[in-house]
Amino acid sequence: MKIIAKSLAKGLAIILPIVITIELIRWLLVTIESRLAPVLELVLPPSWYLPGMAIAAFVLLCVVIGFSARWRGFDWLWQLPGKLLLKLPGTKQIYGMLQDLMDVMSGKNFADESVVMVKLPGTDIELIGIVTKKGGLDGDRMSSLMNEEQLAVFIPMAYNVGGYTIIVPRSCTRNLEMKPAEALQLVLSGGLGSTKS
């Protein structure tokens, strides 16, 4: 009986991530297709529309928006809906959380060479973190709380989209040759993810 339970757990660990990933991708594609297809059918003659064109149009729209956001005028325009959502009660928390989540997961606002190992004082314990601010910078609220020899380090938590920001002396850190996105993936998976370096 014990071997059956272990085999079941192992099988679920292999199959569930695959099934959930496929279902999430399928849900996203079906949602995009069902929402944009009617718009394309209004613009295109009925005989021209083929299934999947809405997804292709969505990808193209994302590329155009991303490319045009490189210019300040367009960037301001694309940021406007988000700014409006941040002012509305209820949507502020949801949109803000999703925006922060995307920023953290993409490694946005983290500079390269900012991944560090933080040594806890008086112990041999070390934590992987990402330097978010350096002390002594003018006009920055977080930086104003620190002296020049301190760093603000974001310590992500395993299996959780969250973490802690700690203020530590530079002497308690050592740099790691790793990109912020790699460090986040490594820590969020508890080190159980891919073994590729």
Side-chain angles (χ1 to χ4, degrees):
M1 196 66 179
K2 195 174 181 182
I3 195 163
I4 293 173
K6 282 187 175 180
S7 298
L8 174 63
K10 180 103 174 157
L12 286 172
I14 293 169
I15 292 172
L16 280 181
I18 295 169
V19 170
I20 292 168
T21 301
I22 290 170
E23 278 303 303
L24 282 173
I25 292 170
R26 188 189 68 76
W27 171 81
L28 181 64
L29 294 176
V30 168
T31 302
I32 292 169
E33 184 72 24
S34 64
R35 298 289 191 272
L36 285 182
V39 175
L40 287 178
E41 288 170 348
L42 286 174
V43 177
L44 298 172
S47 59
W48 286 20
Y49 182 79
L50 299 171
M53 287 180 79
I55 294 167
F58 178 77
V59 170
L60 182 63
L61 180 66
C62 289
V63 170
V64 169
I65 289 173
F67 184 77
S68 65
R70 298 178 347 166
W71 292 284
R72 186 174 294 167
F74 281 107
D75 186 47
W76 177 86
L77 178 66
W78 300 129
Q79 298 293 332
L80 188 59
K83 288 179 181 176
L84 291 173
L85 286 173
L86 286 172
K87 292 187 184 300
L88 295 173
T91 59
K92 176 182 180 179
Q93 290 76 15
I94 297 167
Y95 177 77
M97 181 184 70
L98 289 172
Q99 188 178 43
D100 290 346
L101 174 64
M102 293 298 290
D103 289 349
V104 167
M105 295 306 290
S106 67
K108 187 178 176 183
N109 299 330
F110 295 139
D112 284 339
E113 301 175 3
S114 61
V115 179
V116 293
M117 194 71 84
V118 179
K119 186 169 180 64
L120 298 181
T123 71
D124 291 329
I125 298 172
E126 292 183 306
L127 302 169
I128 296 174
I130 303 167
V131 176
T132 58
K133 294 286 177 186
K134 297 178 181 179
L137 300 175
D138 292 331
D140 184 89
R141 185 170 183 170
M142 177 67 92
S143 188
S144 68
L145 300 173
M146 305 181 285
N147 63 44
E148 289 187 15
E149 289 306 309
Q150 290 181 312
L151 299 171
V153 181
F154 174 68
I155 306 289
M157 297 188 311
Y159 303 107
N160 194 345
V161 183
Y164 298 97
T165 300
I166 59 174
I167 310 298
V168 295
R170 288 177 192 261
S171 59
C172 288
T173 66
R174 63 181 170 89
N175 289 341
L176 296 177
E177 291 295 321
M178 191 182 294
K179 292 191 178 298
E182 291 175 285
L184 285 168
Q185 184 179 5
L186 180 68
V187 175
L188 290 172
S189 70
L192 295 174
S194 173
T195 56
K196 294 177 184 175
S197 58

